[in-house]
């Protein structure tokens, strides 16, 4: 029964990694200085944290209907997470929030709309 | 109203079958009464979808992708997500957050709307880059760690997404 | 070990709620709300494993669906109704989201 032990260890590692990424993303949401950089921090916990946690829970559940539901949740968040992040960013851009640039001496090609 | 009746029925049948398989996977209880209720709900859903299809006939999504190439792309995307997550996590956890924020335009070469959507979603899905706005033939991308090769990395992703599109039009 | 994941998710949710409370612009709050919804979905799923009741996953699916639609609805409201000066919004292409 070494296979079950390996699956167990891998799934715990995935769940721990997912938890760590989730907390890192939340810390970034608190620490980053302005809106445009907070977008990136939020997508850390939304992509890596979510993927690792769902994969770990899938390994824990084994081949059952529970796994199908977990994969459905994961696929849905995988598709809609970036979409809503893009929607927030686009709405902020449309309402006149200017994205700032730390790069000097280089002209942003069309950013100053 | 509907010109291609055979293809239309085929699509309705395919939708019903997909929905019923999804229902069976979600339910997990296989008593006759419950299964018949599921069949009824699938029929109602297909009727609604059919009405929507007739109303918005032009806006139907057509998936024209290479089915095997997309798996390879997905695996590559997973590796990219993990790598960029690691990079952004290092920025977040470092005591002095050295941000190098910038926004620039990335040209996209996809022909279909679905290809462009996949490219924009892939940009946003890798932390550190976010597609902010869509213009004709290019995306406005905001990044948190700008370097000289970030444009070429996104051009590489663009080429990969274009490769999984099958030849249409 | 699911307990550790649940605690981690709970701490993250509290931090995101802090950002939701403190966020200077309205888009910070929407972003935090969306992030909070995703974390809630994961929290419900982990809680289902923790208490040995996988039925919780149905609630998690439902919450994921509602969260996405709710975020888009809030943004659309902000853009086309009040809560922001409509006359200053650059009407670029007028595309719906």
């Amino acid at each position: 029964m070494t296979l079950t032990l390996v699956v167990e260890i891998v799934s715990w590692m995935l769940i721990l990694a997912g938890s760590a990424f989730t907390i890192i993303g939340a810390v970034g949401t608190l620490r980053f200085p302005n809106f445009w950089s907070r977008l990136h921090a939020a997508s850390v916990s939304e992509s890596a944290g979510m993927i690792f946690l769902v994969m770990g829970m899938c390994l824990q559940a084994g081949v059952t209907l529970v796994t199908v539901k977990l994969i459905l949740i994961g696929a849905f968040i995988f598709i809609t997470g970036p979409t809503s992040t893009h929607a927030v960013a686009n709405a902020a851009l449309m309402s006149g929030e200017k994205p700032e640039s730390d790069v000097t001496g280089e002209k942003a090609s069309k950013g100053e709309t | 109203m509907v010109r291609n009746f055979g293809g239309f029925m085929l699509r309705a049948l395919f939708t019903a079958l997909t929905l019923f398989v999804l229902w069976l996977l979600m339910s997990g209880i296989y008593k006759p009464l419950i299964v018949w209720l599921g069949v009824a709900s699938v029929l109602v859903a297909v009727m609604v979808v059919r009405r929507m299809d007739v109303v918005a006939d032009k806006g139907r999504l057509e998936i024209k992708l290479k089915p095997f190439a997309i798996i390879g792309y997905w695996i590559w995307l997973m590796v990219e997500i993990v790598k960029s997550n690691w990079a952004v996590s290092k920025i977040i956890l470092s005591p002095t957050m050295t941000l190098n924020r910038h926004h620039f335009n990335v040209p996209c070469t996809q022909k279909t709307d679905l290809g462009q959507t996949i490219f924009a979603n892939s940009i946003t899905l890798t932390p550190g880059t976010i597609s902010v706005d869509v213009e004709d033939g290019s995306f406005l991308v905001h990044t948190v760690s700008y370097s000289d090769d970030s444009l070429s990395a996104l051009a590489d992703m663009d080429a990969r997404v274009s490769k999984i599109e099958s030849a249409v039009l | 070990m699911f307990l550790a994941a649940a605690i981690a998710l709970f701490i993250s949710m509290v931090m995101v709620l802090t950002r939701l409370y403190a966020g200077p612009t309205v888009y910070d709050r929407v972003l935090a709300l969306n992030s909070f919804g995703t974390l809630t979905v994961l929290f419900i799923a982990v809680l289902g494993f923790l208490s040995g009741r996988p039925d919780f996953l149905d609630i998690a699916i439902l919450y994921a669906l509602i969260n996405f639609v709710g975020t888009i609805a809030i943004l659309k409201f902000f853009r086309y109704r009040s809560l922001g000066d409509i006359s200053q919004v650059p009407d670029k292409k007028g595309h719906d989201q």
Side-chain angles (χ1 to χ4, degrees):
Chain A
M1 287 297 107
T2 51
L3 186 64
T4 48
L5 190 67
V6 168
V7 168
E8 194 83 355
I9 290 172
V10 169
S11 75
W12 288 135
M13 277 168 60
L14 283 173
I15 286 178
L16 281 184
S19 310
F21 273 121
T22 313
I23 287 192
I24 288 171
V27 169
T29 314
L30 275 185
R31 276 192 77 192
F32 270 171
N34 64 354
F35 167 70
W36 290 96
S37 42
R38 275 178 213 132
L39 280 171
H40 301 277
S43 77
V44 168
S45 62
E46 215 157 83
S47 64
M50 185 276 293
I51 291 169
F52 283 147
L53 273 174
V54 167
M55 274 166 67
M57 284 192 278
C58 279
L59 284 184
Q60 277 287 310
V63 189
T64 50
L65 284 182
V66 173
T67 313
V68 176
K69 286 178 189 174
L70 276 172
I71 289 174
L72 202 74
I73 293 177
F76 191 78
I77 298 181
F78 192 79
I79 295 171
T80 60
T83 311
S84 38
T85 307
H86 167 77
V88 175
N90 199 6
L93 182 78
M94 289 289 167
S95 77
E97 288 254 338
K98 288 269 187 289
E100 75 297 318
S101 178
D102 291 340
V103 179
T104 52
E106 188 171 350
K107 186 91 176 92
S109 48
K110 256 195 277 181
E112 308 295 324
T113 46
Chain B
M1 202 65 193
V2 181
R3 259 165 276 149
N4 188 1
F5 190 71
F8 183 74
M9 285 310 286
L10 200 67
R11 270 210 315 279
L13 205 66
F14 184 71
T15 311
L17 211 66
T18 312
L19 283 176
F20 193 61
V21 168
L22 185 68
W23 189 89
L24 284 179
L25 285 175
M26 287 294 104
S27 157
I29 305 169
Y30 303 118
K31 292 175 190 163
L33 174 69
I34 309 281
V35 172
W36 279 113
L37 284 176
V39 170
S41 62
V42 165
L43 287 181
V44 170
V46 169
M47 266 168 59
V48 172
V49 167
R50 194 188 134 155
R51 274 183 66 88
M52 288 167 71
D53 222 0
V54 170
V55 169
D57 207 14
K58 284 175 192 157
R60 199 171 61 241
L61 181 66
E62 296 193 345
I63 302 178
K64 288 183 172 159
L65 300 171
K66 294 175 190 159
F68 294 109
I70 206 168
I71 298 172
Y73 174 72
W74 196 73
I75 293 170
W76 176 81
L77 182 64
M78 280 304 197
V79 176
E80 284 297 303
I81 287 173
V82 172
K83 273 198 291 192
S84 58
N85 262 305
W86 186 246
V88 175
S89 300
K90 270 197 296 193
I91 295 177
I92 291 174
L93 292 181
S94 69
T96 61
M97 290 181 293
T98 48
L99 297 175
N100 197 11
R101 296 165 291 191
H102 194 44
H103 47 98
F104 51 95
N105 275 47
V106 175
C108 66
T109 58
Q110 287 80 30
K111 294 185 200 73
T112 58
D113 284 351
L114 186 61
Q116 287 192 358
T117 311
I118 291 175
F119 182 39
N121 260 10
S122 306
I123 290 175
T124 312
L125 203 51
T126 49
T129 49
I130 280 177
S131 57
V132 179
D133 200 3
V134 185
E135 319 212 330
D136 298 326
S138 70
F139 295 145
L140 178 61
V141 173
H142 185 264
T143 180
V144 80
S145 56
Y146 183 75
S147 64
D148 289 336
D149 56 346
S150 44
L151 196 58
S152 60
L154 286 177
D156 177 43
M157 181 188 273
D158 177 45
R160 282 171 192 270
V161 177
S162 290
K163 228 180 279 176
I164 67 171
E165 277 189 325
S166 57
V168 287
L169 302 178
Chain C
M1 201 61 90
F2 278 120
L3 191 65
I7 291 172
L9 282 170
F10 186 76
I11 293 171
S12 318
M13 282 162 82
V14 169
M15 285 192 221
V16 171
L17 266 188
T18 313
R19 175 49 70 196
L20 183 68
Y21 180 72
T25 68
V26 74
Y27 297 104
D28 280 303
R29 293 173 208 263
V30 176
L31 181 69
L33 187 67
N34 185 32
S35 197
F36 185 75
T38 310
L39 290 177
T40 310
V41 172
L42 292 173
F43 188 66
I44 293 172
V46 169
L47 214 60
F49 273 91
L50 193 61
S51 60
R53 292 167 64 189
D55 309 334
F56 275 38
L57 284 176
D58 295 326
I59 307 173
I61 291 176
L62 210 63
Y63 202 94
L65 294 168
I66 291 174
N67 181 38
F68 175 62
V69 177
T71 305
I72 299 296
I74 289 172
L75 285 172
K76 194 165 182 180
F77 180 76
F78 283 171
R79 189 157 154 205
Y80 292 109
R81 294 296 181 89
S82 56
L83 295 172
D85 204 352
I86 285 289
S87 61
Q88 287 180 0
V89 175
D91 191 15
K92 265 182 146 179
K93 290 174 291 287
H95 51 196
D96 278 1
Q97 336 223 11

